[in-house]
Amino acid sequence: MITSSFQASVAVCALVILHVSALDTFIAAVYEHAVLRPKATETPVSRDDALLLMNKNIDILERAIQQAAAQGAQIIVTPEDALYGWKFTRETIFPYLEDIPDPQVAWIPCQDPHRFGDTPVQARLSCLAKDNSIYVLANIGDKKPCNSHYSTCPPNGYYQYNTNVVYDAKGQLVARYHKYNLFSEPQFDAPEKPELVTFDTAFGKFGIFTCFDILFHDPAVTLVKDLQVDTILFPTAWMNVLPLLTAIEFHSAWAMGMRVNLLAANIHYVQQNMTGSGIYAPDSPKVFHYDMKTNEGKLLLSELYSHPRKSPAYPAAVDWSAYATTIKPFPVQKNTFRGFMSRDEFNFTELFENAGNLSVCHKDLCCHLSYRMLRQEGNEVYVLGAFTGLHGRRRREYWQVCTMLKCKTTNVTTCGQPVETALTRFDVFSLSGTFRTKYVFPEVLLTKVKLSPGKFEVLKDGRLVNKNGLSEPILTVSLFGRWYTKDSLSSSGGIRNLETTNLLIATFLMIIVLQIL
Ligand SMILES: *[C@@H]1O[C@H](CO)[C@@H](O)[C@H](O)[C@H]1NC(C)=O
Ligand SMILES: *[C@@H]1O[C@H](CO)[C@@H](O)[C@H](O)[C@H]1NC(C)=O
Ligand SMILES: *[C@@H]1O[C@H](CO)[C@@H](O)[C@H](O)[C@H]1NC(C)=O
Ligand SMILES: *[C@@H]1O[C@H](CO)[C@@H](O)[C@H](O)[C@H]1NC(C)=O
């Protein structure tokens, strides 16, 4: 029939267009921004002063956005807190905030700047996207009036959110995300539930979260695992913490562990160890920047697959404990000793020989290492360490960590303390552990805080191994696991975790059932 064949040809035509216009690769940009901060963050300023400062920061971002677009980038991520810095009270952040509408309103602030009241920051950001025909992610503050009779409504009558906005290449607001896992930010409120924010483009499906969110299951893991996004946009104001949690080290490892593209834009503020941005693909870091020497910002660009899952480079799924649980453990060392990495109590064992096979266990986590090293002068001490438990002072996140690291000095009481340089190279390392979680992030950090793209890989059985010959001198090789279901629900205490909560609910239900009977 004419109509049906017509419909069929329309469908074929649409498919062809879809095929042609959906891009296989795209160019991504991130900008590490040396933020201009207010002189004082403890005393309130006027809205005009707040705007003056934000516009000075946007002037700098504008140049980065223009440069990125000129070099063909389709999307750029700018950092968290990039317009005004951090360390505010609820009152002193207020003049910096604007009411940001839901993207469903289909708004191009650049063309219609007065539609939602006083929104000059949103209008300017939208114009930057539109004038340069590039997607722009910026982090700004949102305020939402609430009824002060409502119990969770703050006394000033506003919820205040740490917020990411994305404008498309026409300047339209296409995404708004309120940060869920706040990190010492009394000026902001967390939304009631984690928001799962995604948007589709001709170059893949994108998801968004912010800074500390990356350490938790929601929304970060859900965006990748359930919503199958291709690329995560990740603005951050990340303070580097050696040996396991420097920005480039952990963010690149998360991209590999989750097998997703990650565009990480950090603040540049060396006085507080904030530096380290990058563009990370599932198989390897593409480009990264770490600079403790200058006070300059930095633009990074790289080409990425739009749909990494369909790309030839997509890595196979890893069974993180397959190797470690099937081998006969190496003899557990007699000279295992207790050590501390910040507040976490590790079990360590020293790499005495130049080559060997070692195991060290901490509770039910056993870590295995095979290695061969080329020691240089300086007698550096390396240890293999294991830790499983609730981490740090907050005791909120449950960690499972296997790590081989250089100790700060030859005195083993310094193992786990920050150290930035090393001389010892390895031509063999193979690290594995009996992880009880599927979420493990493989880290390799070299001397002077550099990544090691192309020089290591993760095998399907969970071994993190050296490849392509002798390594550069190594600070740490680690498997950083997060066992989210054992996280503590309350930020203090650490006694109540999800499993005990389930137990309580089960007991409660049983009592009810018994009463009914
Ligand atoms: C920055 O890092 C160094 C070494 O890693 C540490 O000693 C110092 O305390 C850190 N500074 C801040 C402000 O956290
Ligand atoms: C480590 O174990 C492997 C096999 O598991 C063996 O071939 C190698 O010789 C061992 N290395 C050392 C130094 O003991
Ligand atoms: C640390 O290792 C020693 C020696 O293998 C072991 O006896 C001890 O139980 C370990 N500590 C923990 C907390 O598992
Ligand atoms: C190692 O450091 C600890 C703590 O600072 C100290 O008590 C100990 O004497 C040192 N050991 C050696 C061999 O220097």
Side-chain angles (χ1 to χ4, degrees):
M1 277 175 43
I2 296 167
T3 38
S4 73
S5 73
F6 174 73
Q7 278 169 348
S9 59
V10 167
V12 168
C13 196
L15 268 177
V16 169
I17 290 167
L18 207 67
H19 187 76
V20 171
S21 68
L23 306 174
D24 287 343
T25 65
F26 69 106
I27 297 177
V30 301
Y31 183 64
E32 179 159 314
H33 174 49
V35 58
L36 306 171
R37 301 169 64 209
K39 281 193 193 69
T41 52
E42 309 289 313
T43 44
V45 298
S46 67
R47 171 73 175 155
D48 281 347
D49 285 347
L51 277 173
L52 200 66
L53 180 84
M54 290 194 282
N55 275 313
K56 280 186 188 163
N57 277 303
I58 300 176
D59 290 343
I60 301 171
L61 300 184
E62 177 168 13
R63 288 195 286 278
I65 291 166
Q66 285 166 348
Q67 282 172 22
Q71 293 174 64
Q74 278 120 315
I75 188 163
I76 181 167
V77 180
T78 63
E80 183 185 26
D81 299 335
L83 300 199
Y84 39 67
W86 48 92
K87 257 205 184 314
F88 290 91
T89 64
R90 292 187 66 85
E91 191 190 359
T92 60
I93 194 73
F94 197 76
Y96 296 88
L97 309 179
E98 293 184 358
D99 195 334
I100 306 168
D102 187 313
Q104 281 183 349
V105 298
W107 180 37
I108 301 179
C110 186
Q111 285 176 349
D112 195 357
H114 304 296
R115 183 169 160 201
F116 294 100
D118 177 34
T119 57
V121 170
Q122 293 172 78
R124 193 166 169 209
L125 292 168
S126 156
C127 289
L128 291 181
K130 181 171 175 288
D131 295 347
N132 295 287
S133 295
I134 182 173
Y135 280 76
V136 172
L137 181 146
N139 176 268
I140 57 181
D142 189 5
K143 58 179 181 193
K144 285 280 166 289
C146 52
N147 185 336
S148 52
H149 297 299
Y150 195 62
S151 68
T152 64
C153 183
N156 72 338
Y158 284 93
Y159 293 114
Q160 304 181 173
Y161 299 114
N162 176 333
T163 309
N164 301 331
V165 287
V166 179
Y167 301 98
D168 71 10
K170 296 193 170 69
Q172 181 169 329
L173 177 69
V174 292
R176 177 191 68 182
Y177 169 72
H178 297 129
K179 183 179 182 184
Y180 184 65
N181 296 286
L182 298 173
F183 185 88
S184 310
E185 296 164 83
Q187 71 270 38
F188 289 124
D189 304 297
E192 241 175 277
K193 286 183 302 193
E195 300 171 348
L196 297 167
V197 175
T198 67
F199 63 96
D200 287 298
T201 71
F203 45 99
K205 181 174 180 180
F206 287 76
I208 307 169
F209 55 80
T210 310
C211 202
F212 198 36
D213 281 331
I214 199 170
L215 278 154
F216 298 92
H217 188 277
D218 289 304
V221 173
T222 306
L223 284 172
V224 181
K225 188 167 67 83
D226 299 338
L227 300 182
Q228 296 275 304
V229 299
D230 298 299
T231 302
I232 294 286
L233 306 177
F234 178 63
T236 183
W238 191 278
M239 279 176 69
N240 292 315
V241 184
L242 285 161
L244 299 177
L245 283 174
T246 63
I248 55 173
E249 173 190 29
F250 185 68
H251 303 159
S252 62
W254 195 87
M256 286 180 87
M258 294 305 300
R259 296 188 298 152
V260 71
N261 292 328
L262 180 73
L263 313 187
N266 199 1
I267 288 287
H268 190 80
Y269 187 66
V270 297
Q271 291 87 333
Q272 286 192 19
N273 291 342
M274 289 181 180
T275 175
S277 303
I279 298 176
Y280 309 118
D283 58 323
S284 182
K286 291 291 180 190
V287 57
F288 65 92
H289 176 72
Y290 174 90
D291 162 31
M292 285 294 284
K293 297 208 176 78
T294 80
N295 291 316
E296 307 296 313
K298 176 81 178 178
L299 177 67
L300 302 175
L301 284 99
S302 179
E303 189 171 22
L304 287 172
Y305 285 110
S306 305
H307 307 283
R309 287 181 190 81
K310 293 180 197 151
S311 79
Y314 196 58
V318 174
D319 179 345
W320 289 101
S321 61
Y323 179 81
T325 50
T326 48
I327 62 157
K328 189 163 144 285
F330 309 131
V332 171
Q333 304 300 300
K334 282 187 280 298
N335 42 24
T336 297
F337 62 95
R338 207 177 61 154
F340 284 89
M341 199 179 292
S342 66
R343 286 165 198 259
D344 300 330
E345 196 180 310
F346 276 66
N347 245 352
F348 287 126
T349 191
E350 188 174 340
L351 279 59
F352 280 114
E353 313 287 336
N354 287 340
N357 298 307
L358 298 178
S359 294
V360 65
C361 302
H362 188 249
K363 299 180 201 154
D364 57 356
L365 176 70
C366 286
C367 304
H368 309 304
L369 175 73
S370 298
Y371 70 96
R372 191 162 72 223
M373 60 164 88
L374 247 66
R375 270 194 221 264
Q376 303 283 320
E377 292 156 57
N379 253 342
E380 295 179 321
V381 170
Y382 283 77
V383 288
L384 173 66
F387 169 74
T388 182
L390 289 166
H391 152 76
R393 182 165 42 90
R394 297 167 189 249
R395 301 185 58 73
R396 183 172 159 200
E397 305 140 50
Y398 196 99
W399 288 13
Q400 291 208 299
V401 176
C402 289
T403 180
M404 178 196 84
L405 55 82
K406 188 196 140 175
C407 303
K408 189 174 179 196
T409 70
T410 51
N411 185 333
V412 291
T413 61
T414 65
C415 301
Q417 291 179 18
V419 54
E420 287 164 30
T421 57
L423 298 168
T424 305
R425 298 161 187 267
F426 287 74
D427 65 353
V428 177
F429 61 75
S430 167
L431 179 68
S432 60
T434 57
F435 293 98
R436 300 279 299 278
T437 172
K438 288 189 292 188
Y439 301 102
V440 178
F441 311 117
E443 303 183 333
V444 177
L445 196 64
L446 303 176
T447 183
K448 297 183 184 159
V449 191
K450 281 183 309 222
L451 299 179
S452 189
K455 296 279 287 174
F456 69 94
E457 66 183 320
V458 176
L459 307 181
K460 272 190 276 190
D461 64 8
R463 274 178 292 172
L464 169 54
V465 299
N466 188 32
K467 86 173 191 196
N468 294 334
L470 196 61
S471 75
E472 294 289 305
I474 284 181
L475 293 178
T476 169
V477 172
S478 309
L479 290 166
F480 186 112
R482 280 285 286 111
W483 192 349
Y484 301 109
T485 52
K486 284 177 81 76
D487 280 2
S488 160
L489 289 178
S490 57
S491 51
S492 60
I495 301 154
R496 222 156 55 91
N497 63 31
L498 285 180
E499 287 182 4
T500 45
T501 310
N502 287 343
L503 200 73
L504 285 177
I505 293 169
T507 317
F508 184 58
L509 288 177
M510 228 162 75
I511 291 167
I512 291 175
V513 169
L514 286 177
Q515 278 179 350
I516 293 169
L517 290 177

